[in-house]
Amino acid sequence: TGSTRPQRILRAVQKNSTRGSPCSVVNAIDDYCKHKEWAMNVGDEKGIIVDDVVLELKPITVLELGTYCAYSTVRIANLLPPEAKLITLEFNAESAAIAREIITWAGLEEKIQLIIGASGDWIPRLKEEFGIETFDLVFLDHWKDRYLPDTKLLEKCGLLKPGAVLLADNVICPGTPDYLDYVRNSPRYKSKFYRSHLEYTQEEDGLEHSVFLGMAGRGAE
Ligand SMILES: O=C(NCCc1nnc(-c2ccc3[nH]cnc3c2)[nH]1)c1cc(-c2ccc(F)cc2)cc(O)c1O
Ligand SMILES: [Mg+2]
């Protein structure tokens, strides 16, 4: 039986990056996915936008939905303040195992908590099980039809405080039309679109940056 794409990405990281150097891990994955084999990492072009949002916001608690091979997990965690924590949720156990190895290789295991499971099951448990009050930043990069239900679930569970940022990948490609409609029209969010391209391609894509304004903007329940 041959190797999987995540296994090949891990091998490229171990071959072409330095243990304990998150930047070299990110560069090794980008090089591999640009020149050898496409993979669904946020990538270098959209990655710069993610970096800017993180550096500006200086979040202490971060939730990432959709770990895959931990490319964005490592990229974000590397820019966080010392006391900050990142919780990342992955559905697929195989890619989660690879992600865990890449997180350890990068030397970021202290900052990152990787959970394997479904967002709908885990979001209601985060306060209880991880002592989380609220998230300063949520990076949505999981199944595109889960962005909207999980945003509503985060609201319902009181995991967002006014000023919290939702940063959503792939709002054009593959696309998240119901999510975009919600954050752009709800009084609970101030939303803006960062135009970019699908990772490692010329296809149109972008990130939606939405600031939670609080539940006061109840509007029509
Ligand atoms: O599907 C994507 N990402 C999702 C991975 C994931 N990793 N973990 C989950 C999870 C985690 C907890 C969950 N709880 C419930 N569903 C869950 C799903 N989902 C994705 C796909 C593309 C893409 C574009 C163009 C194409 F032609 C083909 C593909 C590009 C991207 O940047 C993506 O992020
Ligand atoms: Mg993505």
Side-chain angles (χ1 to χ4, degrees), residues 38 40 46 66-68 89-91 117-119 141-144 146 169-170 173-174 198-199:
W38 187 91
M40 56 183 170
K46 288 184 287 181
T67 316
Y68 188 50
L89 194 52
E90 174 54 50
F91 190 69
S119 50
D141 196 21
H142 60 329
W143 287 346
K144 309 314 162 193
R146 291 294 315 175
D169 189 25
N170 311 116
C173 176
L198 178 68
E199 48 268 25

Side-chain angles (χ1 to χ4, degrees), residues 32 35 50 58 62 66 84 91 95 123 130 136 152 190 220:
Y32 181 77
H35 304 117
V50 175
K58 299 185 179 56
V62 181
F91 190 69
S95 48
I123 288 171
F130 296 94
D136 302 313
K152 292 182 170 177
K190 175 92 183 85

Side-chain angles (χ1 to χ4, degrees), residues 152 155-156 182 185-188 212 214-221:
K152 292 182 170 177
E155 291 175 2
K156 176 176 155 272
Y182 180 72
N185 297 302
S186 164
R188 295 178 184 167
F212 182 62
M215 299 297 272
R218 279 191 184 286
E221 279 292 339

